[in-house]
Amino acid sequence: MAKRVVSTVFWEDEKVVDMFSPEDKYFMLYLLTNPRTTSIGIYALPVKIAAFDLGYSIDSVKVLLERFENKYKMIVYSKEQQEVAVLNTLRYSISKGGKPIEDMVLREIEKVKNISSLEMTHSRMIEWWSISGRDIDFKIKEIFEKEIFKRKEAKENNTNNKANTNTNTDTVDVSCNDSLTDTLENSVAPSEEQVGVIGAIDFYQQNFGVLNPYTSQQIVDAIDTFNDDIVIKAMQIALDNNARNYNYVRAILKKWYENNATTIDDIDALELEHKNKQAKKSYGKSQKESVAPKWLNQETRQEKYQGKESAIEPKQVSDDEIAALEKLKSSVLGGE
């Protein structure tokens, strides 16, 4: 399980001291320490997951996100990507430097979906980095700037390529049968999202039973967060465990999300690790159960002892020995 270190400087921050209510402090600490957070403070955070973690309603979480973004100016939240950037996280999360820390920051930055989150974080932290005097802060600043430059360059190249493609397409003389043209214009292909939703819902109805509107919406939300194949895989695992209810499926998806398992390969590796741990526990338990109780050991010793006694054969006495014994007996009786 990952650990997040929050500096005690958090409690001395001017906004925390002067403006935050107890609920604000609780929510800010959640943003800094929840299972999905990263050291750079940019990570995926669906509103429904946050509501479940905090025990709040979805509307309450939306209000808090809006307050921290528009009033306190401490976060940026992308509704499209469901990604949050806690702009001051790097002031509290990095307590030491070194190559492992630099590599961790680089990995986390590469997973960020929204470039504006990187730009806003960089803009907010630039002053802090310039006065901190720590080598690691200078390194992090360089990593941010390189990643932002790389993404902007890639975006510009992509835009230029699209422009060239459109220019070439406009010069092509297209002629076709009118009826075929009408057919193509009137037909609408389903989007990838629609195909995914249909697949998961059909799978649920075929294997779990009647689907109510509430569960249907949960499945749609799950596909938005993961994808169709992953949601169906969670349903298959639930069926393998004879659990025909969506609460079990949701618990599986939540575990995968908290462990950053976002592909089928990631999930297979996570499930294999879980099975190996369970196998080790079962083996240890069977070893303990195989130890014989004391009473059984005592019986075994008695059986071995009795076996030795029964194995002793009686000694054969000769006629001369019998005569000698009779003579000794007569002499003793006669002496009396």
Side-chain angles (χ1 to χ4, degrees):
M1 181 179 291
K3 294 182 180 179
R4 295 286 172 237
V5 178
V6 179
S7 172
T8 55
V9 176
F10 168 81
W11 297 104
E12 300 170 0
D13 187 279
E14 290 183 4
K15 281 186 178 177
V16 174
V17 173
D18 297 335
M19 301 178 66
F20 278 17
S21 67
E23 183 182 50
D24 292 338
K25 293 175 183 177
Y26 174 49
F27 187 64
M28 188 64 194
L29 286 175
Y30 170 76
L31 292 176
L32 293 173
T33 61
N34 72 76
R36 288 155 293 282
T37 190
T38 61
S39 64
I40 64 173
I42 308 173
Y43 54 91
L45 185 66
V47 173
K48 288 187 176 181
I49 295 291
F52 179 82
D53 289 343
L54 292 166
Y56 285 175
S57 68
I58 291 175
D59 290 338
S60 296
V61 173
K62 288 180 178 178
V63 168
L64 285 166
L65 288 170
E66 184 178 357
R67 184 190 304 167
F68 272 74
E69 182 169 14
N70 299 324
K71 180 180 178 181
Y72 298 144
K73 310 293 184 184
M74 297 189 73
I75 69 170
V76 174
Y77 188 75
S78 170
K79 294 179 181 178
E80 181 182 356
Q81 304 288 351
Q82 296 190 82
E83 186 175 69
V84 66
V86 186
L87 302 178
N88 284 335
T89 295
L90 282 164
R91 293 184 61 176
Y92 311 116
S93 62
I94 303 296
S95 58
K96 61 181 180 179
K99 188 66 166 56
I101 300 298
E102 294 173 26
D103 292 341
M104 175 188 68
V105 170
L106 181 60
R107 287 194 304 270
E108 292 176 353
I109 284 179
E110 289 174 347
K111 292 181 180 179
V112 174
K113 297 177 181 179
N114 193 0
I115 187 174
S116 64
S117 296
L118 293 174
E119 292 174 329
M120 290 294 292
T121 300
H122 176 270
S123 176
R124 180 63 61 88
M125 290 298 302
I126 190 71
E127 183 179 355
W128 169 264
W129 287 330
S130 64
I131 65 174
S132 73
R134 300 191 307 174
D135 290 339
I136 185 60
D137 290 328
F138 179 75
K139 292 287 186 182
I140 292 173
K141 175 177 173 290
E142 281 189 338
I143 293 171
F144 264 81
E145 290 172 350
K146 287 180 180 178
E147 183 66 21
I148 292 170
F149 177 79
K150 182 177 71 174
R151 293 196 185 196
K152 283 186 174 180
E153 188 177 41
K155 186 177 181 180
E156 289 176 2
N157 291 337
N158 188 39
T159 301
N160 292 335
N161 291 336
K162 285 184 177 179
N164 293 334
T165 301
N166 291 336
T167 301
N168 294 333
T169 302
D170 291 340
T171 61
V172 176
D173 182 17
V174 180
S175 61
C176 59
N177 183 273
D178 290 340
S179 61
L180 177 59
T181 302
D182 292 339
T183 303
L184 291 174
E185 288 177 350
N186 294 328
S187 64
V188 179
S191 65
E192 291 182 3
E193 181 182 356
Q194 289 173 324
V195 172
V197 171
I198 293 170
I201 289 178
D202 282 349
F203 185 89
Y204 184 94
Q205 290 177 324
Q206 292 169 8
N207 296 278
F208 286 75
V210 178
L211 183 63
N212 60 56
Y214 178 75
T215 304
S216 177
Q217 184 58 51
Q218 285 189 314
I219 294 174
V220 172
D221 292 338
I223 293 170
D224 288 341
T225 302
F226 297 95
N227 60 50
D228 182 63
D229 293 337
I230 289 178
V231 174
I232 291 177
K233 186 175 183 66
M235 292 180 182
Q236 290 170 336
I237 292 175
L239 292 172
D240 290 341
N241 288 277
N242 199 28
R244 295 178 180 273
N245 63 82
Y246 191 75
N247 286 337
Y248 195 94
V249 176
R250 183 173 55 188
I252 295 171
L253 293 171
K254 185 174 184 291
K255 181 186 72 172
W256 292 346
Y257 189 88
E258 290 176 348
N259 285 276
N260 293 320
T262 56
T263 67
I264 294 295
D265 290 340
D266 292 342
I267 290 167
D268 289 340
L270 184 66
E271 292 300 315
L272 179 61
E273 181 183 355
H274 177 71
K275 286 180 180 179
N276 289 338
K277 287 181 180 179
Q278 292 297 111
K280 287 181 181 179
K281 288 182 180 179
S282 299
Y283 177 76
K285 185 178 180 181
S286 64
Q287 289 295 97
K288 290 179 181 179
E289 290 177 349
S290 66
V291 177
K294 291 182 178 180
W295 60 267
L296 180 58
N297 291 336
Q298 289 173 353
E299 282 191 358
T300 304
R301 287 198 296 270
Q302 289 175 358
E303 289 174 0
K304 288 182 179 179
Y305 179 72
Q306 291 171 356
K308 288 182 180 179
E309 283 186 331
S310 62
I312 300 174
E313 297 181 359
K315 184 178 179 182
Q316 299 294 328
V317 182
S318 65
D319 293 339
D320 292 339
E321 289 175 332
I322 293 173
L325 287 172
E326 290 293 334
K327 184 177 179 181
L328 178 60
K329 180 179 177 183
S330 298
S331 63
V332 171
L333 293 174
E336 290 179 351

